[in-house]
Amino acid sequence: MLEHEGRTTFRIDYAPLFRTALLLTGYFMVSLFVLAVAGKDGPSDPTLVGKDLWQRNNCVSCHALVGLGGHIGPDLTNAFSRRGEGYIRYVLNNGSQKMPAFRLSTAEQNALIAYLKAIDSTSIYPLKSYDGPVFGQSKTSPYKH
Amino acid sequence: MTIKNVLIKVSLYCFIIASVTGFIASLKVALPTADSEWIDFRKIRPLHTFLALSAQIAGLLGLAQYILGRYGASPAKARSYVFTAFIVAGGVAILAGYYSGREYITWPVYLTPLLLTPVLANIFRLFRSGKALSAANPEGFWLLVSGHLFIVGGVVESHFWLIPSVGGNFVKDLTVQWHGIDTFIAGINISLYGVSVFLLNQQPKPLRNRWLYVIALFSLLFTFGHHHYVSPQPFSLKILAFAASMVAVLSLLKHTKEYKKQIRKKTGKDALHRLITAITFWMMISISSGILFAIPHVNLYVHGTYWIVAHAMSAMIGTNMLIIISGAYLLAGNAETPKPGLNTGIALTNAGLAVLWLSAGAAGIIRGFERVESDYLAYYHKIECVMYGFPVAGLLLIAGLYLMLRRLR
């Protein structure tokens, strides 16, 4: 802040600006790198309607997908292959001891099931072996860990 | 003792409401079959997360404003009201059933500008006063700037799912989501650390060696991958995450040294000393648990369990919340004199976190191992009895918070 002839002016210090520009550039480069490499082998979600339903009903508050989400209910990453479509429909319509009945329309159920099916095709979680690969067992990645 | 800073007041009220909503959520966790509208978990959980994060951001913005004020910046009431509006609007929206449906970033997307505006305004003011601030405390200034920038970056990145090519690819969305969340939370932590450096150091703290700064940034920007070693991410990201997480051992050694120094100080009944001791202790716990959980062999059993909740709570409650409360006491004046009830409040908070660690740890161990061989429905009844510790921890934390705050207005 400078005082000149009774007026106050502000002068910006360029050294910190330069360092900050460097910091931001580094951060955005890392973000772009993550965007570029992540999910290259993963399938695209065939239905964004299912994802939208998942978010609008806030399923993530109780359920996790690949460990990200709530813990009060089971992780649903492989719910499609482990439980099957019929079971998922039954729980959505009737609820369970801990879960309310959502009573979605058939179209909505189909979209949500398609979403869970797409996720199921990406990963195996949790692993079902004590000797499981510590970096996970992917259904789509070419890496064999 | 009176606090005039609007954002600090908002922060403390938010912590109180967050602790109450947390207790209500813990009742549902302990009694999952309880069917009641008022503990609709789909609303209570995101509300609790939203309020806890908002409390921390309000606190750091308020303390940053106080520091700016010491170096000539004018008070910024408009920013305070904008952020308060964000909190009120977000809370009402979540209670009405409008949420993002995402983890951590639980508020509706259209409210994000109300969050970013005061943070960006703070960044601008930090630069305007940059010369004075960096002369007074170079490290504190850079921690504040970096932290604020990462809050903005993390929040923006957490909205990349709105881009169809990101949101439509589950694996890409998961990766970017974790990176955004980690950056956002790290931004809060770094800013609060910067605030502490300013408030607690009489002498300016010089900038550390630039290579240490580079290492810290590497750790911050790449550690996110340890949240999902098991997902189908490129192997490169997982290895980088492992390396970045292990670098945190340097930070742990430093904080352990600080904790030993802190407990050796003879400061009588200095109120601030007790708070700082608790902060350094919980910082040590959260860093060491973070390093442990980032080891892939441990992560296999810990990821996706309540262990992670315990780790997060020791950082958010034990470290961040107590930093803000310490700052509030400093602003209110006479921080060094004994405060009736404060020591008991700190003890109850410590006890609450300890109970949370025991419950969450037990639940985490059971789930981590049982889920390998059996199904959720088969093993969940084994966890239910230890979940009663959650509401007990909640009550201890509420009582501790009340005793710590009752002298502040």
Side-chain angles (χ1 to χ4, degrees), chain B residues 5-53:
Chain B
N5 187 303
V6 170
L7 280 171
I8 299 288
K9 275 196 207 179
V10 165
S11 167
L12 298 178
Y13 280 122
C14 256
F15 274 126
I16 294 168
I17 306 171
S19 64
V20 171
T21 52
F23 172 69
I24 296 172
S26 72
L27 288 176
K28 182 67 176 175
V29 165
L31 305 163
T33 54
D35 181 22
S36 172
E37 273 303 307
W38 66 278
I39 43 171
D40 182 352
F41 210 64
R42 289 178 301 160
K43 293 182 184 174
I44 284 293
R45 188 173 178 265
L47 183 63
H48 169 67
T49 310
F50 172 72
L51 288 171
L53 287 171

Side-chain angles (χ1 to χ4, degrees), chain A residues 34 38-39 51 64-69 77 119 122-123, chain B residues 102 161 166-167 169-181 224 227-233 303:
Chain A
V34 169
K51 183 189 179 109
L65 295 171
V66 200
L68 177 61
T77 309
I119 291 165
T122 65
S123 329
Chain B
R102 313 275 290 179
W161 65 272
V166 177
N169 182 324
F170 171 70
V171 175
K172 196 183 276 285
D173 183 15
L174 183 72
T175 312
V176 172
Q177 193 176 354
W178 270 125
H179 193 239
I181 290 169
F224 75 101
H227 292 288
H228 56 112
Y229 284 141
V230 294
S231 70
Q233 297 311 307
H303 179 66

Side-chain angles (χ1 to χ4, degrees), chain B residues 99-115:
Chain B
Y99 17 62
S100 67
R102 313 275 290 179
E103 267 297 78
Y104 289 96
I105 314 292
T106 55
W107 59 87
V109 165
Y110 48 80
L111 291 180
T112 299
L114 287 180
L115 159 64

Side-chain angles (χ1 to χ4, degrees), chain B residues 173-235:
Chain B
D173 183 15
L174 183 72
T175 312
V176 172
Q177 193 176 354
W178 270 125
H179 193 239
I181 290 169
D182 250 24
T183 309
F184 172 50
I185 302 291
I188 294 173
N189 296 345
I190 293 170
S191 300
L192 281 170
Y193 193 30
V195 155
S196 313
V197 166
F198 261 107
L199 294 179
L200 298 175
N201 285 285
Q202 304 299 328
Q203 300 300 321
K205 228 173 168 206
L207 283 176
R208 288 170 211 263
N209 180 294
R210 72 180 63 174
W211 289 111
L212 275 178
Y213 187 61
V214 168
I215 289 169
L217 278 183
F218 165 72
S219 179
L220 188 151
L221 291 173
F222 284 103
T223 202
F224 75 101
H226 70 217
H227 292 288
H228 56 112
Y229 284 141
V230 294
S231 70
Q233 297 311 307
F235 194 59

Side-chain angles (χ1 to χ4, degrees), chain A residues 36-89:
Chain A
V37 302
K40 264 161 71 169
D41 301 317
S44 287
D45 178 10
T47 165
L48 284 172
V49 176
K51 183 189 179 109
D52 182 57
L53 275 165
W54 173 270
Q55 290 187 180
R56 272 197 287 119
N57 286 287
N58 209 16
C59 303
V60 79
S61 58
C62 299
H63 295 286
L65 295 171
V66 200
L68 177 61
H71 307 300
I72 204 174
D75 188 290
L76 297 181
T77 309
N78 298 130
F80 182 82
S81 53
R82 290 186 184 151
R83 288 287 177 180
E85 188 175 325
Y87 179 84
I88 296 172
R89 264 187 221 279

Side-chain angles (χ1 to χ4, degrees), chain A residues 1 10-13 15-17 19-20 23-24 26-28 30-31 33-46 48 51 54-62 65-75 77 82-83 87 97-100 102 115 118-119 122-141 143 145, chain B residues 28-29 32-33 41-42 45-46 72 97 99-103 124 127-128 131 141-142 145-146 149-150 153-154 157 160-161 166-179 181 183 207 213 217 221-222 224 227-240 242 296-297 300-301 303-306 309 367 369 371-377 380 384:
Chain A
M1 210 159 69
F10 292 99
R11 192 170 66 193
I12 294 183
D13 191 345
L17 265 182
R19 280 190 214 166
T20 306
L23 181 75
L24 277 174
Y27 170 66
F28 282 121
V30 169
S31 301
F33 169 69
V34 169
L35 258 178
V37 302
K40 264 161 71 169
D41 301 317
S44 287
D45 178 10
L48 284 172
K51 183 189 179 109
W54 173 270
Q55 290 187 180
R56 272 197 287 119
N57 286 287
N58 209 16
C59 303
V60 79
S61 58
C62 299
L65 295 171
V66 200
L68 177 61
H71 307 300
I72 204 174
D75 188 290
T77 309
R82 290 186 184 151
R83 288 287 177 180
Y87 179 84
Q97 270 196 315
K98 298 172 199 167
M99 176 172 150
F102 280 80
Y115 178 59
I119 291 165
T122 65
S123 329
I124 296 175
Y125 184 79
L127 297 185
K128 289 299 182 183
S129 159
Y130 288 112
D131 297 323
V134 292
F135 282 125
Q137 203 168 350
S138 162
K139 285 184 175 180
T140 60
S141 168
Y143 299 110
H145 303 309
Chain B
K28 182 67 176 175
V29 165
T33 54
F41 210 64
R42 289 178 301 160
R45 188 173 178 265
Y99 17 62
S100 67
R102 313 275 290 179
E103 267 297 78
F124 180 63
F127 277 112
R128 278 221 314 215
K131 204 158 188 160
F141 172 67
W142 274 109
V145 168
S146 310
L149 285 170
F150 285 133
E157 204 174 350
F160 277 2
W161 65 272
V166 177
N169 182 324
F170 171 70
V171 175
K172 196 183 276 285
D173 183 15
L174 183 72
T175 312
V176 172
Q177 193 176 354
W178 270 125
H179 193 239
I181 290 169
T183 309
L207 283 176
Y213 187 61
L217 278 183
L221 291 173
F222 284 103
F224 75 101
H227 292 288
H228 56 112
Y229 284 141
V230 294
S231 70
Q233 297 311 307
F235 194 59
S236 55
L237 285 182
K238 299 182 188 189
I239 284 293
L240 279 169
F242 180 47
H297 297 80
L300 209 53
Y301 299 99
H303 179 66
T305 73
Y306 280 112
V309 172
R367 184 172 188 153
F369 283 91
R371 67 187 178 185
V372 176
E373 287 188 9
S374 56
D375 203 54
Y376 168 84
L377 292 173
Y380 199 78
E384 279 172 349

